[in-house]
């Protein structure tokens, strides 16, 4: 970690390295993920290169959440969606989500982190408040996005049925 | 009159008025076509079908049987030149072991070349041109599955790329996959042909008994003793504007991978032609061939035949090329049989026409579909080398299948890529 990063940012980084509330607590190796999902080495490589799996940069890069996500993707394949089409959709999704995630993190920095910095009584206080905010916001943001895409899917399916 | 006389087939070629769009004249039923920039041949009906077998000798056997039929025909022609007199349309399976090759002499053939037009009838068929037909309403095409799951194909690509990186002697394998479609109405080959021809005017648009497509690659053209082949391998996308287009072309010219692939393909054609011809010449440097959605590295190879081999025989000698099978050919064919888990049928096999003098033109059946009633089978392939990433090859074949699907459906051509990551190759 660069030396000029202040105390509160170190705390934030440490919090991000731990499982967050709502995140699968069990940490897994690459091999364990493959074993539990039945994902072939080829598909695991592809999913990582395509950014569909976002491993942490350590010996235990995955969590039990990743197992659930992979199983869900495999269910889509088994339902008959061709892999190539699923990958193309996932690529577009990943691209859109990267941009949105960057903006969301920017909002966090601008409207949560900066005000805490300006008002905190001590470094300890600032660090604690930032970590609390992060731990509250991450699962909340994930829930909002998951809920929204779920609603969008249902609405799109309804619209398609009404059209026909 | 002897018994032989009564069975002699009469073939008559007459000069004709310019019929306009040749493809618009095709009547309902079995149709044949080989058209580029409006010139070429179209045919319909079936006057005679030459049985084509399997195995290494299938081309020479088919040529011998066809020449026997040509020799027995009673030919009367007002004009001559390549494509006049009796003509056979051939479409051969990719794998010599598989059945399904077709060699058919249509009842009527209409041709146009260098401003001349003609109509040839076989066995007393009427020498009248049907009126041009309007394009019918587009048919909706629905997905019906594939011969093998795409996950298996992805894994096959990975396995082959790994083998090429680590063990000899494989250098390249072309792996193909298919997509099956259905429609509520019977699928008509004719509007598909016309849409392909409009969209890919620089390609040879072909049809042969249910097989319909457009190919940019000329396997062989024979005129007398002169033979010519146009080899395409190595591709880049078309840019949105001139600058982007030129940039993509420059990157293609510099690309080591594309150049290696191109040189392998040219090498395999030169090697075969050297066995059949004197004065085999290949252009020193590939030139750029620009199509609607892609630009290719192209090299023209020419030679002079040592013996009067028919165009069909030369096509048989050249097939399969590195561009559709791989390098070395025998090893690549073995991997294709093991890993593709489907019969390619006539996809990536020679398709074209040959006349009684042995002149003719053959391409490779790429960018094509096999139509049968309300069902269709679309094909696409990708050349796998050591550096290939399976997900990019899968995406390339997805885009090629999309392009073919949109020609079937009459929907606007899909942009070449959602992510813009890899250009489609000719396969």
């Amino acid at each position: 970690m660069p030396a000029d990063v202040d105390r509160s940012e170190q705390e934030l980084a440490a919090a991000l390295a731990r499982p967050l509330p709502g995140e699968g607590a069990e940490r897994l190796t690459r091999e364990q993920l493959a074993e539990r999902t039945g994902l072939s080495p080829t598909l695991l490589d592809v999913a990582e290169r395509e950014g569909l799996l976002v491993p942490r940069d350590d010996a235990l890069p995955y969590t039990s959440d990743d197992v659930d996500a992979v199983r869900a993707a495999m269910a889509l394949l088994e339902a008959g969606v061709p892999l190539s089409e699923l990958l193309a959709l996932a690529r577009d999704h990943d691209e859109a989500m990267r941009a949105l995630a960057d903006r969301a993190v920017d909002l966090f920095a601008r409207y949560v982190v900066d005000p805490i910095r300006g008002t905190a009584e001590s470094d300890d206080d600032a660090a604690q408040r930032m970590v609390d905010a992060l731990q509250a916001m991450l699962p909340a943001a994930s829930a909002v996005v998951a809920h929204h895409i779920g609603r969008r899917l249902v609405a799109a399916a309804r619209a398609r049925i009404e059209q026909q | 009159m002897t018994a032989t006389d009564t069975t002699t087939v009469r073939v008559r070629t007459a000069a004709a008025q310019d019929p306009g769009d040749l493809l618009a004249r095709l009547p309902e039923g079995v149709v044949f076509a080989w058209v580029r920039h409006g010139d070429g041949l179209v045919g319909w009906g079936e006057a005679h079908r030459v049985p084509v077998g399997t195995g290494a000798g299938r081309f020479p056997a088919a040529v011998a049987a066809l020449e026997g039929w040509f020799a027995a025909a009673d030919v009367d022609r007002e004009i001559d030149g390549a494509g006049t007199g009796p003509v056979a349309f051939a479409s051969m399976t990719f794998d010599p072991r598989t059945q399904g090759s077709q060699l058919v002499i249509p009842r009527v053939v209409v041709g146009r070349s260098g401003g001349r037009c003609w109509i040839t009838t076989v066995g007393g068929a009427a020498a009248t041109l049907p009126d041009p037909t309007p394009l019918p309403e587009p048919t909706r095409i629905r997905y019906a599955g594939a011969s093998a799951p795409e996950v298996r194909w992805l894994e096959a690509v990975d396995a082959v790329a790994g083998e090429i990186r680590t063990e000899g002697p494989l250098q390249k394998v072309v792996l193909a996959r298919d997509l099956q479609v259905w429609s509520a109405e019977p699928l008509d080959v004719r509007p598909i042909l016309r849409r392909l021809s409009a969209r890919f005017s620089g390609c040879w648009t072909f049809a042969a008994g249910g097989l319909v497509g457009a190919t940019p690659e000329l396997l062989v053209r024979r005129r007398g003793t002169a033979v010519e082949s146009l080899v395409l391998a190595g591709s880049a996308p078309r840019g949105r504007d001139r600058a982007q287009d030129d940039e993509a072309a420059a990157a293609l010219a510099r690309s080591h991978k594309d150049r290696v692939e191109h040189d392998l393909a040219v090498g395999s054609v030169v090697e075969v032609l050297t066995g059949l011809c004197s004065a085999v010449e290949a252009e020193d440097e590939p030139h750029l061939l620009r199509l609607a959605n892609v630009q290719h590295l192209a090299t023209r190879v020419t030679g002079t035949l040592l013996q009067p081999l028919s165009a069909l025989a030369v096509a048989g000698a050249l097939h399969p090329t590195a561009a559709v099978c791989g390098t070395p050919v025998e090893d690549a064919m073995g991997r294709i049989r093991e890993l593709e888990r489907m019969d390619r049928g006539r996809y990536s096999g020679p398709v074209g026409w040959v006349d009684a003098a042995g002149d003719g033109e053959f391409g490779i059946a790429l960018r094509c579909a096999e139509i049968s009633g309300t069902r269709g089978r679309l094909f696409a392939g990708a050349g796998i080398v050591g550096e290939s990433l399976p997900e990019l090859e899968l995406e390339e074949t997805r885009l090629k299948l999309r392009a073919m699907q949109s020609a079937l459906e009459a929907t606007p051509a899909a942009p070449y890529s959602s992510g813009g990551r890899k250009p489609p190759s000719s396969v």
Side-chain angles (χ1 to χ4, degrees), chain A residues 8-156:
Chain A
S8 49
E9 279 174 335
Q10 285 181 25
E11 290 289 331
L12 279 178
L16 282 168
R18 292 190 296 269
L20 292 155
E23 190 186 25
E26 194 183 359
R27 303 280 301 274
L28 306 172
T29 63
R30 228 172 155 262
E31 292 66 33
Q32 284 170 324
L33 177 70
E35 261 168 46
R36 292 196 190 181
T37 56
L39 205 58
S40 69
T42 300
L43 266 179
L44 182 50
D45 288 345
V46 169
E48 287 182 348
R49 280 197 298 262
E50 291 285 302
L52 305 184
L53 284 170
V54 188
R56 287 167 186 264
D57 190 16
D58 62 32
L60 295 168
Y62 292 108
T63 73
S64 41
D65 277 357
D66 292 305
V67 173
D68 294 342
V70 168
R71 284 191 182 142
M74 289 168 102
L76 294 178
L77 280 178
E78 274 158 33
V81 182
L83 176 64
S84 61
E85 297 292 349
L86 208 54
L87 284 176
L89 185 65
R91 263 196 297 272
D92 288 351
H93 176 79
D94 184 48
E95 207 174 304
M97 283 298 147
R98 266 173 208 252
L100 285 179
D102 272 347
R103 279 176 60 188
V105 168
D106 193 50
L107 291 185
F108 177 73
R110 192 186 297 260
Y111 297 109
V112 180
V113 170
D114 288 351
I116 290 175
R117 274 221 180 89
T119 56
E121 285 159 15
S122 67
D123 279 1
D124 274 352
D125 176 42
Q128 190 54 51
R129 282 168 61 190
M130 282 183 206
V131 168
D132 287 348
L134 179 76
Q135 288 187 336
M137 287 179 73
L138 267 180
S142 302
V144 167
V145 172
H147 174 76
H148 180 253
I149 184 72
R151 280 301 177 90
R152 272 277 163 243
L153 285 171
V154 171

Side-chain angles (χ1 to χ4, degrees), chain B residues 2-178:
Chain B
T2 66
T4 337
D5 284 331
T6 57
T7 57
T8 297
V9 178
R10 288 207 48 179
V11 178
R12 183 176 152 71
T13 293
Q17 295 286 316
D18 189 328
D21 182 0
L22 288 173
L23 298 171
R25 297 290 186 151
L26 289 167
E28 228 175 296
V30 184
V31 298
F32 303 88
W34 178 264
V35 173
R36 180 182 182 235
H37 292 316
D39 274 7
L41 300 176
V42 295
W44 57 90
E46 202 174 301
H48 182 68
R49 176 178 285 246
V50 178
V52 183
T54 56
R58 62 187 179 141
F59 277 91
V63 168
L66 179 64
E67 285 177 351
W69 191 90
F70 281 150
D74 169 19
V75 181
D76 166 24
R77 57 180 127 190
E78 279 179 15
I79 56 174
D80 51 19
T84 64
V87 167
F89 279 83
S91 50
M92 309 289 277
T93 57
F94 166 77
D95 188 335
R97 290 184 187 172
T98 62
Q99 302 200 331
S101 298
Q102 293 189 17
L103 184 52
V104 173
I105 294 125
R107 286 171 55 76
V108 181
V109 170
V110 180
R112 172 165 55 213
S113 170
R116 296 193 314 161
C117 302
W118 64 91
I119 180 165
T120 299
T121 54
V122 177
T128 49
L129 275 173
D131 289 335
T133 48
L135 268 175
E137 284 295 303
T139 324
R140 170 119 189 252
I141 304 293
R142 294 157 196 273
Y143 178 69
S147 289
E150 292 183 5
V151 176
R152 294 283 97 72
W153 193 85
L154 187 86
E155 286 165 356
V157 171
D158 205 17
V160 160
E163 184 182 345
I164 293 171
R165 283 194 300 272
T166 54
E167 306 156 32
L170 267 190
Q171 290 174 275
K172 174 186 167 181
V173 179
V174 177
L175 288 180
R177 60 190 189 88
D178 71 354

Side-chain angles (χ1 to χ4, degrees), chain B residues 171-370:
Chain B
Q171 290 174 275
K172 174 186 167 181
V173 179
V174 177
L175 288 180
R177 60 190 189 88
D178 71 354
L179 188 153
Q180 291 153 17
V181 296
W182 65 277
S183 161
E185 305 281 311
L187 290 163
D188 189 343
V189 166
R190 298 172 299 161
I192 301 171
L193 265 175
R194 288 165 70 178
R195 285 194 287 268
L196 284 171
S197 159
R199 201 163 286 174
F200 303 107
S201 66
C203 293
W204 283 271
T205 303
F206 58 86
L211 184 72
V212 54
T215 180
E217 190 153 3
L218 184 69
L219 183 62
V220 63
R221 171 190 287 134
R222 197 208 92 158
R223 293 288 185 274
T225 58
V227 295
E228 175 190 344
S229 183
L230 182 67
V231 182
L232 304 184
S235 337
R238 292 299 306 265
R240 270 182 214 93
D241 52 41
R242 180 75 186 271
Q244 237 185 30
D245 226 18
D246 291 345
E247 195 181 309
L252 175 61
R254 284 192 306 268
S255 158
H256 176 71
K257 175 180 177 277
D258 286 286
R259 190 58 191 267
V260 166
E261 196 180 332
H262 187 79
D263 291 348
L264 283 174
V266 172
S268 89
V269 168
V270 167
E271 191 187 324
V272 173
L273 287 186
T274 301
L276 308 175
C277 297
S278 62
V280 175
E281 279 182 45
E283 292 171 315
D284 293 338
E285 286 290 316
H287 62 272
L288 197 67
L289 184 78
R290 282 185 164 155
L291 301 175
N293 59 340
V294 61
Q295 34 196 349
H296 294 293
L297 291 179
T299 294
R300 215 168 82 97
V301 183
T302 54
T304 306
L305 283 173
L306 295 165
Q307 298 194 352
L309 280 179
S310 116
L312 179 57
V314 179
L318 285 165
H319 177 77
T321 62
V324 290
C325 184
T327 318
V329 163
E330 294 73 26
D331 302 79
M333 183 67 96
R335 291 300 173 282
I336 289 168
R337 285 177 182 143
E338 271 165 49
L339 295 170
E340 277 186 0
R341 298 163 186 243
M342 67 167 190
D343 178 6
R344 284 193 186 188
R346 296 180 290 168
Y347 163 71
S348 71
V351 62
W353 60 270
V354 58
D355 67 16
D359 286 342
E361 291 175 11
F362 281 84
I364 298 172
L366 302 174
R367 256 192 214 148
C368 64
E370 181 82 65

